[in-house]
Amino acid sequence: MTPDMTPNPLASAAALRNAATYLELFGWFPLDYFYLCPDRFPSADVVGAISVAVYGRAVYDPFDDLNPFMDPKDLAVFTATAEYFDQYLRSQHGYDHGAPLWNEQPERTLSEVTTTLRNAADDLEASHDRQNS
């Protein structure tokens, strides 16, 4: 990633919060990025919700860096946010298998997912503040 493409961590924090709100408004679907339906705002899993928060729409392959319709800056923010959330799950929850599998655990609840997204956003902002003070 070139220096001008490095996303601001605050953009990732906002994306995490917006992803939590998206899930509360449009529904949580724990088995795939999105529930495949004709809805403009389909229910989503945690990664799908992060992608909507960044791209502004449902993107069925949010990591696709060859898609000519994806803004490279949005892709950089999405990738940084998804990677940060995986890192947060490892450090705070001891979960090493990534957000999609964490999301799919049978005991997982919408409340836990949205709380974890918001806590990760708070943690990222606090880390950013410590580095800049």
Side-chain angles (χ1 to χ4, degrees), residues 8-133:
N8 181 330
L10 299 180
S12 290
L16 292 166
R17 279 198 185 81
N18 291 338
T21 300
Y22 182 89
L23 293 174
E24 291 167 341
L25 293 173
F26 298 105
W28 175 56
F29 182 68
L31 302 177
D32 204 349
Y33 291 146
F34 299 99
Y35 178 71
L36 295 179
C37 66
D39 288 347
R40 183 176 168 118
F41 299 103
S43 56
D45 79 347
V46 68
V47 176
I50 292 169
S51 75
V52 170
V54 172
Y55 296 116
R57 60 183 168 38
V59 175
Y60 289 91
D61 187 359
F63 293 97
D64 183 3
D65 60 350
L66 299 177
N67 183 336
F69 301 106
M70 299 255 264
D71 181 324
K73 290 180 183 177
D74 288 345
L75 178 61
V77 171
F78 170 76
T79 302
T81 304
E83 287 173 356
Y84 175 78
F85 192 66
D86 281 348
Q87 174 191 331
Y88 178 82
L89 291 173
R90 275 192 302 280
S91 68
Q92 300 299 312
H93 296 270
Y95 196 81
D96 291 332
H97 305 291
L101 292 177
W102 174 84
N103 182 85
E104 293 175 6
Q105 295 303 303
E107 70 277 4
R108 197 75 56 228
T109 64
L110 171 61
S111 177
E112 182 180 7
V113 171
T114 58
T115 298
T116 303
L117 283 163
R118 289 187 175 110
N119 288 344
D122 291 345
D123 185 72
L124 182 55
E125 283 182 346
S127 173
H128 179 264
D129 291 346
R130 281 190 301 275
Q131 291 174 356
N132 291 310
S133 57

